[in-house]
Amino acid sequence: MTLHGTEQDPPVKPYSNALMTSLTRVIAQWSAPDFLTSVVAREGLDLDPGAITFITFLSNGGPLRPSKLAQKMVTGASNVSKILARLTAAGIVKRIPDPADARASLVTLTLAGRKVAASFIEAGDALVEDLLTGWDEQDRHDLVRLLSKLDQSTATLSSHLRNNQDHLDATAPESSMEQK
């Protein structure tokens, strides 16, 4: 498999499914660093994309170990440590003892951090209003209904895929586990 192509390589065929094309574009735009920072900046917040993601995971999932944050953010421990240090210095997060393991700590939002997370909600609500300006109520209702249905289908498939992967991992010969 070649990772780097040449100018002579044919272009990658686009998705044949219009939904996948649209979802890919929306996800790419919404997760772009400048978009994230611009959306929260409308609420008067000056945060980098890593900090936004960090705070979002804590506000949605409660206190987490730094290693779990690194896993969720798909980044390394050193990057999480840097973000943790910046947000701790800003008074947005703090470490607390892990009740399950006295040797470990959890990261949680402070009162100021919860206010920042609440600002994210306000920014998201304002964003949706901006995006749906000019849409009639039926279109808005249909969008929410269909996205909810897609969300449920995604959760079901995700669970199924995870269960299959767990089963494959559990039954894999030990030699293939060493290669991971």
Side-chain angles (χ1 to χ4, degrees), residues 37 46-53 83 86:
T37 56
D46 183 20
L47 295 167
D48 62 87
I52 294 167
T53 304
I83 297 168
R86 287 194 310 270

Side-chain angles (χ1 to χ4, degrees), residues 1-71:
M1 175 179 182
T2 304
L3 294 178
H4 300 285
T6 64
E7 289 183 32
Q8 293 84 20
D9 289 341
V12 175
K13 180 183 173 197
Y15 291 108
S16 59
N17 183 299
L19 174 62
M20 194 63 190
T21 300
S22 293
L23 284 174
T24 302
R25 284 187 191 150
V26 168
I27 291 167
Q29 290 176 51
W30 281 35
S31 59
D34 59 336
F35 185 80
L36 287 173
T37 56
S38 295
V39 168
V40 300
R42 293 178 359 163
E43 295 299 319
L45 300 170
D46 183 20
L47 295 167
D48 62 87
I52 294 167
T53 304
F54 197 99
I55 294 165
T56 300
F57 281 127
L58 291 175
S59 70
N60 291 332
L64 294 168
R65 287 186 178 184
S67 60
K68 186 66 171 178
L69 279 162
Q71 180 186 16

